[in-house]
Amino acid sequence: MLLITRRSKLLRIIAVICIILPLLYLLFVRHERKRLSNYQAAEYNQQWVKPFLSDGPGNYEPQDLKPRIGPGENGQKHILRSDQKNAAQDSESEFGMNIACSDEISLDRSIVDTRDPECKRWNYPTKLPSTSVIIVFHNEGWSVLLRTVHSVLNRSPEHSLTEVLLVDDFSDKPHLGKKLEDYIESLDSRVRLIRNKQREGLIRTRSRGAQEAKGEIIVFLDAHCEVNLNWLPPLLAPIMRDRRTMTVPIIDGIDHNNFEYRPVYTYGHYFRGIFEWGMLYKENELGYKELSKQEYPTEPYKSPTHAGGLFAIDRNYFLEIGAYDPGLLVWGGENFELSFKIWQCGGSIEWVPCSRVGHVYRGFMPYNFGKLAKKKKGPLITINYKRVIETWFDDKYKQYFYTREPLAQFLDMGDISEQLALKEKLQCKSFDWFMKEVAYDVFDKFPELPPNLHWGELRSAANDRCFDTSGNGPPALMSLHYCHGLGNNQLIRLNEKGQLGVGERCIEADNQGIKLAFCRLGTVDGPWDYDEINKTLYHRVYQKCIALHPQTGHLSLMPCDNNNTYQQWIFKQIRPNYR
Ligand code: UD2
Ligand code: MN
């Protein structure tokens, strides 16, 4: 008896499971279909309509924008009263920007339309894919963070904007706690907030945002942006054409002190992202090769890299290519990792002139890297660069990086075997292919680097002090300081072509003395010869040697005198204590 009731109970449970599971599955499939319907309709039913120009306004152009009056409206600068100076200064040092000024400007302020007028006449697909705008943030100021959100809500097509996903990277400022949750609750149901349980850094936080996003397309923005008019459709259209295209808006500048919104580039000039061999992000004006591919100057164009912060990409594609390398820490280099990966593994990057987004460039970085940095020995950003170049560069190109950043050879970059396996799995092309086909214009500014003959500290035989930039930028006089062996300011390189370099800068001479200068673009040549026997640094053009003034400590060129210790310099390689 007992056995029979037990068995029937079991059967009932099995029956219930058999009914409920498929039902749940069906519900899930329906939900997914609905989620994907717009995009797939466009992509798979060939409803894709190439953007086209019309005589009148394009289909997503905003109509009847009401003029607004108030502080900062129309993207104008807003100047605080003199009695607000302290508040302004305090917020500058806390956030790297004048939040006191921002706080007085409406979250819905109008901005200046920085687009080429032609942009207003483009028509984009009527059905746009669902989009999640992902904003990661760590300890940002209230009004800049929310102005970013408001601008997205105000200036994106209703049917395409699925959500604004805020990802809090373990902020500890009170205004970003419950107050933020309450505000979001009252704002718009499409705004969603998730929080990290520990500090992850912006790179992992973005990858998490991508995982959690509901839209087919994800758009990343920094937490201090204002999107411009009709910014979204132009970013989505190229991705609808080819889901392996990542798109990047043209970045405008928002002044960190007075919040003036203004273009960064001169009107009508377009740039694309490149890099120099120390992996600093650089830009190059569009050349004939790219311009000749365009029918109209406002069409998207190819770019080798991007600055990092603002871009749109198909969510599934981003996840298929492994999102960001999870071994990259906190900040820096992720823009290159993604750029190289996309290009080398079959995708492409397009910059979109008709999509403009303002970004507050801060005066300095107001946050530290927290515990994440303490676990690592050595400069964290250079470790990131090393991971990226060891994964994506061919051997020949890796050498350029180590020539430019000699200390990187001693850094522990962790395990990159999964990255290399991914590169294999996706059958990615070589870096040489990328350089020749895509980033060909890097060489125009940053030619292949010849090896260093010497690198390290450059010590005076007379007073035992070392060449030092003192942290100055060019043009500045070089001076001598106590040798500290810590690199950067005292890490001098002399290459085979006679160029004396320190970081991305060069050491040159004029009648004022020995100077830190901008390296001339497009050449790796320099005027210097190092005499290993007499230890002199000889300038071939002036035919003089670097000399230290015994009294003033000033560095200048003097007629060469091999017996003068004030003209003797000793290169000594630095061995950082990274382990
Ligand atoms: C640029 C990029 C930035 C990023 C970075 C390199 C632009 C305009 N900006 O520096 O997006 O690619 O280069 O990595 O291209 N954040 C966190 N956790 C952290 C640190 C920062 O969530 O640990 C947030 C921060 O609140 C901001 C975003 O990440 O929203 C980018 O940081 P940033 O504004 O300090 O970087 P930025 O603009 O100097
Ligand atoms: Mn930023």
Side-chain angles (χ1 to χ4, degrees), residues 20 109 169 194 206 212 276 298 304 344 369 410 447 557:
I20 286 183
R109 79 153 165 180
D169 186 16
I194 56 176
R206 278 202 202 132
E212 305 258 355
E276 57 88 46
T298 56
Q344 286 174 247
F369 287 176
F410 304 113
L557 288 179

Side-chain angles (χ1 to χ4, degrees), residues 185-215:
E185 186 72 27
S186 70
L187 182 59
D188 184 308
S189 58
R190 290 173 299 173
V191 185
R192 190 153 72 97
L193 170 70
I194 56 176
R195 298 191 195 265
N196 287 345
K197 293 204 171 65
Q198 56 176 25
R199 180 84 180 274
E200 299 285 358
L202 82 94
I203 304 173
R204 286 186 193 158
T205 307
R206 278 202 202 132
S207 292
R208 173 167 182 221
Q211 290 283 358
E212 305 258 355
K214 293 177 185 153

Side-chain angles (χ1 to χ4, degrees), residues 183-420:
Y183 185 82
I184 287 172
E185 186 72 27
S186 70
L187 182 59
D188 184 308
S189 58
R190 290 173 299 173
V191 185
R192 190 153 72 97
L193 170 70
I194 56 176
R195 298 191 195 265
N196 287 345
K197 293 204 171 65
Q198 56 176 25
R199 180 84 180 274
E200 299 285 358
L202 82 94
I203 304 173
R204 286 186 193 158
T205 307
R206 278 202 202 132
S207 292
R208 173 167 182 221
Q211 290 283 358
E212 305 258 355
K214 293 177 185 153
E216 299 147 90
I217 307 286
I218 47 181
V219 182
F220 290 103
L221 295 180
D222 277 8
H224 32 258
C225 289
E226 285 171 73
V227 300
N228 209 315
L229 299 174
N230 202 359
W231 71 294
L232 190 57
L235 288 182
L236 301 182
I239 306 176
M240 294 171 76
R241 185 196 66 225
D242 179 351
R243 66 186 288 272
R244 294 177 306 174
T245 301
M246 160 180 151
T247 52
V248 182
I250 305 297
I251 307 182
D252 290 321
I254 301 171
D255 190 285
H256 65 80
N257 185 37
N258 61 33
F259 282 78
E260 182 185 15
Y261 186 112
R262 54 167 179 253
V264 171
Y265 309 101
T266 321
Y267 182 80
H269 290 256
Y270 290 107
F271 287 78
R272 59 187 214 148
I274 55 167
F275 54 88
E276 57 88 46
W277 297 112
M279 302 320 289
L280 297 178
Y281 174 74
K282 300 285 166 186
E283 290 181 356
N284 225 356
E285 185 152 10
L286 265 199
Y288 174 74
K289 191 166 169 179
E290 299 307 317
L291 288 171
S292 64
K293 292 180 197 161
Q294 288 178 309
E295 206 174 330
Y296 301 97
T298 56
E299 274 173 345
Y301 54 84
K302 307 253 184 276
S303 172
T305 70
H306 68 292
L310 328 177
F311 63 92
I313 193 166
D314 180 292
R315 174 177 175 270
N316 287 333
Y317 174 60
F318 183 66
L319 297 176
E320 279 162 31
I321 59 173
Y324 288 121
D325 166 7
L328 294 175
L329 288 176
V330 193
W331 190 103
E334 89 294 344
N335 56 328
F336 296 128
E337 195 244 345
L338 188 59
S339 302
F340 300 151
K341 182 153 67 182
I342 287 177
W343 276 112
Q344 286 174 247
C345 310
S348 68
I349 301 176
E350 291 187 9
W351 282 26
V352 184
C354 289
S355 177
R356 319 267 309 211
V357 177
H359 169 260
V360 182
Y361 289 95
R362 319 190 212 230
F364 67 99
M365 195 180 257
Y367 49 80
N368 59 37
F369 287 176
K371 279 189 210 134
L372 291 161
K374 291 204 185 95
K375 277 194 219 148
K376 284 280 160 187
K377 293 274 161 52
L380 197 133
I381 300 171
T382 320
I383 295 176
N384 284 353
Y385 294 160
K386 182 167 179 175
R387 277 187 82 83
V388 175
I389 72 111
E390 283 293 339
T391 305
W392 297 102
F393 279 25
D394 312 338
D395 286 344
K396 173 177 122 184
Y397 295 96
K398 285 180 195 171
Q399 283 322 306
Y400 303 154
F401 172 69
Y402 290 116
T403 296
R404 166 70 175 73
E405 256 331 328
L407 296 183
Q409 61 188 299
F410 304 113
L411 291 169
D412 176 8
M413 63 173 171
D415 183 6
I416 58 163
S417 54
E418 279 189 23
Q419 302 310 305
L420 294 171

Side-chain angles (χ1 to χ4, degrees), residues 5-59:
T5 45
R6 256 203 202 154
R7 192 177 284 167
S8 67
K9 215 176 192 177
L10 198 73
L11 280 173
R12 232 181 291 154
I13 292 172
I14 291 172
V16 166
I17 289 176
C18 286
I19 294 166
I20 286 183
L21 274 185
L23 213 73
L24 279 176
Y25 177 71
L26 277 178
L27 274 173
F28 173 73
V29 167
R30 246 188 74 183
H31 171 262
E32 278 298 281
R33 282 227 183 101
K34 212 168 154 196
R35 190 171 78 90
L36 293 173
S37 58
N38 285 345
Y39 186 31
Q40 291 195 326
E43 202 186 34
Y44 302 118
N45 303 341
Q46 270 110 53
Q47 283 180 2
W48 158 245
V49 183
K50 198 177 162 212
F52 61 92
L53 277 173
S54 51
D55 292 337
N59 56 344

